[in-house]
Amino acid sequence: MPELPEVTVISEDLEALAAGKEVVRAGIFRDDVSNAGVAGFPAKLLGKTLERTGRRGKIITLDFGEVVGLVHLVISGRVVQLPAWQEPDKINTAIVEFDGGPILAFTKLWLGYFDLYEPERVGEHPLISRLGPDPFSEGFTVEYLMDAFKRKASIKGLLLDQSIVAGLGNIYVDEVLFAAGVHPMRKANSLDFAEIERIYSATREILHEAIELRGTTFDSYHDAFGETGKYQHRLKVFTRAGEPCPVCGTRIQKSRVAGRGTHACSTCQPV
Ligand SMILES: [Zn+2]
């Protein structure tokens, strides 16, 4: 699933490709791809100009002035450029053509969506309404985390919870906790100030570096230009089960925490 860095890259790509351009054709495959429905989707977008793009958690925002597109790629969705207009189908689930190009297809939105909201109602979107602070926002502070972590839940479970921090997923949570020297199974309320401070710093540093390297690609994620990310080469524990820890040489262990495959070094991250 694209996490904060990948969604940031795609959002910035879309602005580079289409900002200032007017929508001349648009369609979705089925009613369940967008809250606007098959008929409402083009009706709301035709003639609108993409002003800017952004991100809320893992949702791409496309600001068309009177209407805002909220795109959630969820697991396997991608944004690709089509050589020519075609009718939306099972793979190219939503398509938007801009005057003079590009023709953007939002693929495989089977669990995802391309919703259309009035700008003043974006905050009411069911996912956006419960997002916690973004890691790059002013609300994301050590003090905020100290308060949010006053719970018995595993630290991994809390960092995955979008209502605690917006944008993190399985890959970056494992990497952040390794960098912070905190085992993913640790109860959040057992962490001391120094550990929380390290989680705070590692979150910003790792996400920043991953954006610089244009995200992590395993299979489905590509940016809007079709290129893969490079951060997979920097991963220290994620998908490295059985390999030596880059810090101490202990074998990286894979376990299940908060229902997700989890990678950690038992020496650098004592339980
Ligand atoms: Zn280690």
Side-chain angles (χ1 to χ4, degrees), residues 91-141:
I91 300 298
N92 298 297
T93 32
I95 304 179
V96 179
E97 178 175 358
F98 291 88
D99 192 19
I103 304 167
L104 299 173
F106 299 79
T107 73
K108 300 182 184 176
L109 298 178
W110 304 323
L111 296 170
Y113 44 79
F114 191 143
D115 282 347
L116 297 177
Y117 271 65
E118 293 165 30
E120 57 277 12
R121 305 196 70 167
V122 167
E124 296 170 22
H125 184 274
L127 190 51
I128 290 175
S129 65
R130 57 180 194 86
L131 285 178
D134 191 274
F136 294 117
S137 73
E138 284 180 10
F140 184 76
T141 60

Side-chain angles (χ1 to χ4, degrees), residues 202-225:
T203 300
R204 286 197 166 177
E205 282 163 21
I206 286 172
L207 293 175
H208 181 74
E209 192 187 354
I211 292 168
E212 297 266 291
L213 291 173
R214 300 188 60 78
T216 298
T217 299
F218 288 119
D219 35 38
S220 74
Y221 166 72
H222 290 68
D223 63 29
F225 294 97

Side-chain angles (χ1 to χ4, degrees), residues 178 237 244-252 264-269:
F178 175 76
V237 289
C245 166
V247 174
C248 74
T250 305
R251 286 196 188 286
I252 303 295
C265 171
S266 58
T267 304
C268 296
Q269 299 163 273

Side-chain angles (χ1 to χ4, degrees), residues 150-261:
K150 285 177 182 163
R151 308 192 198 185
K152 279 186 188 169
S154 70
I155 182 62
K156 172 149 185 177
L158 286 190
L159 288 174
L160 286 172
D161 182 341
Q162 300 299 295
S163 72
I164 305 279
V165 183
L168 289 175
N170 207 34
I171 299 172
Y172 295 105
V173 168
D174 281 6
E175 293 297 312
V176 163
L177 290 174
F178 175 76
V182 173
H183 198 282
M185 283 193 320
R186 291 272 305 280
K187 300 286 179 231
N189 63 1
S190 75
L191 302 183
D192 63 27
F193 180 79
E195 288 171 325
I196 294 173
E197 211 171 28
R198 292 202 300 270
I199 289 172
Y200 165 81
S201 306
T203 300
R204 286 197 166 177
E205 282 163 21
I206 286 172
L207 293 175
H208 181 74
E209 192 187 354
I211 292 168
E212 297 266 291
L213 291 173
R214 300 188 60 78
T216 298
T217 299
F218 288 119
D219 35 38
S220 74
Y221 166 72
H222 290 68
D223 63 29
F225 294 97
E227 301 291 329
T228 58
K230 301 278 181 287
Y231 195 77
Q232 62 273 20
H233 305 301
R234 299 286 179 91
L235 295 172
K236 295 196 167 65
V237 289
F238 193 79
T239 70
R240 303 216 181 279
E243 293 179 30
C245 166
V247 174
C248 74
T250 305
R251 286 196 188 286
I252 303 295
Q253 288 177 342
K254 186 171 181 184
S255 61
R256 223 164 165 76
V257 181
R260 307 293 300 275

